[in-house]
Amino acid sequence: MKIATTFEKVEGDSQQVSVWTITQFNEPVSVFAAIPQPSIFPQGYNKQSDDLPANLKIDNGLLSLKRDRNKPHKIGSDASTLLWFGENVAVRMDSPRRDNVVYPDNNSNSEIYTNYDPKAYVELEFLSPLKTLQVGEKIDLTVKYTLIKTTSENIEEQARKILQL
């Protein structure tokens, strides 16, 4: 499934904007991001909350984390592919990063947010480049969603296969 979001400036002064798509999922087994090698971020991500998730890990281009039940966390990245991994199914989300443009949130085109109890959910997010729109101009962002059957065995291996890492 592909979802395209378009903003069109219809009146008023010029404004710098970015399309920001947020997909909210129930608590995952884990969340993954395919981090480019090399990444524009020295650690492969940028910290957007007070604390980093305690279980954040990066190994050979695969970023993984789980939801913290006690604190919310948010990180940004330059990943073009995110993966929500559940008990029997995974959802792969793709939105290619564009070169030679500036993104919001410290140049992040993708973000992962995890909420704390009692609301057990995560958000996988994509952002378009920043663009100053004049009346009549548009900006868009397309996200492709792929539903994939999984098992509960060796989720990191399955994630690498799904993400083609």
Side-chain angles (χ1 to χ4, degrees):
M1 169 175 74
K2 286 185 182 178
I3 298 178
T5 304
T6 302
F7 291 174
E8 179 180 4
K9 180 76 170 152
V10 295
E11 63 181 44
D13 295 335
S14 63
Q15 184 72 40
Q16 188 178 54
V17 298
S18 171
V19 176
W20 178 28
T21 63
I22 302 169
T23 305
Q24 196 173 86
F25 292 97
N26 288 334
E27 181 165 11
V29 172
S30 193
V31 175
F32 298 93
I35 302 299
Q37 302 294 304
S39 171
I40 64 169
F41 302 107
Q43 289 115 347
Y45 60 87
N46 75 70
K47 180 177 153 185
Q48 296 184 0
S49 57
D50 290 340
D51 299 311
L52 289 171
N55 52 24
L56 175 66
K57 179 176 100 171
I58 295 185
D59 181 33
N60 292 323
L62 181 66
L63 179 147
S64 63
L65 62 89
K66 297 181 185 203
R67 189 181 74 83
D68 183 337
R69 297 180 182 277
N70 300 310
K71 282 183 156 183
H73 300 284
K74 188 168 186 176
I75 60 167
S77 78
D78 54 345
S80 294
T81 304
L82 302 175
L83 180 67
W84 176 91
F85 201 101
E87 293 287 332
N88 301 309
V89 68
V91 178
R92 176 182 165 146
M93 297 172 57
D94 294 278
S95 186
R97 183 180 174 90
R98 298 180 202 160
D99 294 327
N100 305 313
V101 294
V102 177
Y103 286 86
D105 292 354
N106 297 316
N107 214 16
S108 298
N109 62 292
S110 59
E111 299 176 340
I112 299 171
Y113 170 78
T114 62
N115 201 49
Y116 57 97
D117 284 349
K119 296 181 180 177
Y121 69 90
V122 298
E123 294 176 350
L124 276 56
E125 309 167 3
F126 281 105
L127 298 92
S128 73
L130 288 165
K131 182 177 179 184
T132 300
L133 294 183
Q134 309 292 334
V135 171
E137 292 182 322
K138 298 177 183 179
I139 186 173
D140 59 45
L141 179 67
T142 299
V143 179
K144 178 182 174 185
Y145 296 81
T146 306
L147 189 63
I148 301 156
K149 189 167 179 61
T150 63
T151 67
S152 59
E153 297 175 23
N154 201 335
I155 63 171
E156 186 174 323
E157 183 178 300
Q158 288 179 76
R160 285 188 180 283
K161 185 175 179 183
I162 292 167
L163 297 171
Q164 301 170 347
L165 295 175

